[in-house]
Amino acid sequence: GLLFAQSRRRSPRRWSADAVIDPEGRTEAYQFYPAVIHSHARLTYTQVWGALQGEEGGLAAVGDRLDDIRALYDLFKTLRKARDARHTLDLETKETMAVFDDKGVISEFKVREHNDAHRLIEECMLVANVCAADFVIQKKRGALFRVHDAPSQERLETLRTVLKSFNEKLESPTPEGFAELISRTKENEFLQTAILRSMSRACYSPDNVGHYGLQYEGLRPLHVSDSSLSRPAASSCDQGNSLASHLCAAGGLRRLVPDGLASGPRPRQQA
């Protein structure tokens, strides 16, 4: 998966990551290297999802890349099983998007579709960035990590008060307890938002304390916003910091691996 965009516009090179994933969704090995990206097709999420659904328009857009996309989708299913086994907090929140007319004026607002084509990319990004974080840690280099602490006692009490009004309760303030609650209330957008608000705010820190929402213990991607936890929560500040981390990480890799290849064993948090 594509990792780091280089800052020089004239250079077509990008930092890429290869990862070996076992049948249980664990990363066995990985390597980074500069590469030239040559796309065989320019596809939208809608086209890819349509192809995976067997829709005529999607199949026509994908063409002879269908087998590649199906293989990637099988990988996604394996990664999702591993994610579920970690009891990640997979909230169902809705993101609103503006629709513009031909004159550039907003004509309506509607809920942005989010399907497995989006989730597929998110899971691949998480794999690549966990490997990047693991590589930096192994090299004992300083870096900023996207960390997420457990919810505070005060926020938990507020959530329990809200849940009581709906005859619901949080059985235990653990990832397993939250995962069960989220699953039971999938159809209740208000409660899904209440659960989201009970969470601590994710932030960037040089201290790698892990990520509660995604259940990464002591290892977290260098830059990915928590889109798979709460898509609407990503802020413009997050995106700016993402770009900064991209450029810092790319520069660090160039210094650490002048021959252009970096590799490592299985990331420890997935053992």
Side-chain angles (χ1 to χ4, degrees), residues 60-88:
V62 168
D64 59 4
R65 293 291 135 186
L66 181 59
D67 287 343
D68 295 332
I69 289 176
R70 283 175 173 167
L72 194 58
Y73 193 42
D74 287 339
L75 171 63
F76 159 76
K77 293 175 181 177
T78 298
L79 293 172
R80 287 294 292 192
K81 286 181 181 178
R83 179 192 182 102
D84 292 341
R86 296 199 310 270
H87 302 290
T88 63

Side-chain angles (χ1 to χ4, degrees), residues 96-110 112:
T96 303
M97 63 180 291
V99 179
F100 295 84
D101 61 21
D102 294 338
K103 297 180 180 180
V105 178
I106 296 176
S107 59
E108 62 173 320
F109 291 92
K110 65 179 184 180
R112 186 187 298 274

Side-chain angles (χ1 to χ4, degrees), residues 151-174 177-178 181 184 190-191 194-195 197-198 212:
S152 67
Q153 200 61 40
E154 180 181 358
R155 288 177 180 245
L156 287 174
E157 290 304 319
T158 301
L159 175 62
R160 288 190 175 102
T161 300
V162 174
L163 292 174
K164 190 175 181 180
S165 301
F166 290 84
N167 293 320
E168 282 284 354
K169 64 178 180 178
L170 178 65
E171 298 294 344
S172 63
T174 62
F178 271 110
L181 176 62
R184 290 200 310 271
F190 179 83
L191 287 184
I195 297 169
R197 288 178 176 173
S198 73
Y212 185 81

Side-chain angles (χ1 to χ4, degrees), residues 13-53:
R13 295 201 311 168
R14 301 289 184 265
W15 277 100
S16 293
D18 281 345
V20 179
I21 311 295
D22 73 9
E24 302 301 319
R26 294 184 296 248
T27 302
E28 292 290 350
Y30 59 83
Q31 64 178 8
F32 303 110
Y33 53 87
V36 176
I37 305 300
H38 176 71
S39 299
H40 293 276
R42 297 178 65 86
L43 302 172
T44 66
Y45 290 111
T46 301
Q47 289 171 332
V48 171
W49 183 233
L52 290 171
Q53 295 287 89

